Amino acid sequence: MEVFKAYYHSPLGTMEIRSTNRGLISIKFVDEIDSNNPNEHILSCIHQLKEYFKGIRTSFTLELSLDLSKFQKKVLDSLFDIPYGTVKNYSALAKAIGQPGAVRAVAKAVGNNPLAIVIPCHRVIGKNGELRGYAWGKWRKEELLKHEC
């Protein structure tokens, strides 16, 4: 299956967006840029990311094509339930998916989110209210949360 790729220069750094013909497979912040070969899913993603950073968009309507375990899918799907401008802690997220004892597994699934910003893992914080890690830098997580408030 062919993989398409393009870059978006966001206010928080360059983002590499990858897609197949079925939908988006990854969005991540990168330091180096390669060649572009966007498809319609990537172009739609870039358009929606621009709207997000302008404060026009609070959620995304994109086709996704992710290869996830049932547990990862359950956790990442639950992130869409965290409203724009709010946060939820890992413990509450584990309870929300019906697995209150799986806080570490939930944190790992959140940390392995393949779609930065689109799947809003930046809205998950520590139980005491402090920011925990973010795969693309804790400073980006902080900026995203400021942007949404």
Side-chain angles (χ1 to χ4, degrees), residues 30 44 62:
V30 296
S44 179
L62 299 163

Side-chain angles (χ1 to χ4, degrees), residues 17-46:
I17 305 166
R18 291 178 177 256
S19 175
T20 65
N21 283 326
R22 294 188 347 202
L24 295 171
I25 57 173
S26 74
I27 302 171
K28 61 185 179 180
F29 288 94
V30 296
D31 293 325
E32 296 183 20
I33 300 175
D34 204 344
S35 59
N36 284 317
N37 65 332
N39 66 2
E40 68 277 2
H41 298 294
I42 291 172
L43 295 175
S44 179
C45 181
I46 291 170

Side-chain angles (χ1 to χ4, degrees), residues 19 26 31 40 65 114 125 131 139-140 142:
S19 175
S26 74
D31 293 325
E40 68 277 2
S65 181
I125 61 171
L131 296 185
W139 70 271
R140 283 191 176 107
E142 186 174 7

Side-chain angles (χ1 to χ4, degrees), residues 18-126:
R18 291 178 177 256
S19 175
T20 65
N21 283 326
R22 294 188 347 202
L24 295 171
I25 57 173
S26 74
I27 302 171
K28 61 185 179 180
F29 288 94
V30 296
D31 293 325
E32 296 183 20
I33 300 175
D34 204 344
S35 59
N36 284 317
N37 65 332
N39 66 2
E40 68 277 2
H41 298 294
I42 291 172
L43 295 175
S44 179
C45 181
I46 291 170
H47 174 75
Q48 291 186 35
L49 283 168
K50 286 178 181 179
E51 289 179 337
Y52 170 83
F53 282 110
K54 288 179 182 176
I56 298 168
R57 178 173 292 278
T58 60
S59 63
F60 296 87
T61 55
L62 299 163
E63 292 293 324
L64 310 181
S65 181
L66 303 175
D67 185 23
L68 304 170
S69 71
K70 284 184 181 181
F71 181 78
Q72 287 172 304
K73 182 168 177 18
K74 190 175 189 178
V75 171
L76 295 183
D77 282 349
S78 72
L79 297 178
F80 291 114
D81 296 332
I82 305 172
Y84 181 92
T86 65
V87 294
K88 184 177 260 188
N89 66 53
Y90 294 96
S91 180
L93 196 59
K95 288 177 189 169
I97 65 165
Q99 298 193 346
V103 176
R104 286 190 178 157
V106 165
K108 183 176 180 180
V110 170
N112 289 325
N113 172 18
L115 297 175
I117 302 174
V118 171
I119 299 178
C121 63
H122 60 277
R123 296 181 188 151
V124 184
I125 61 171

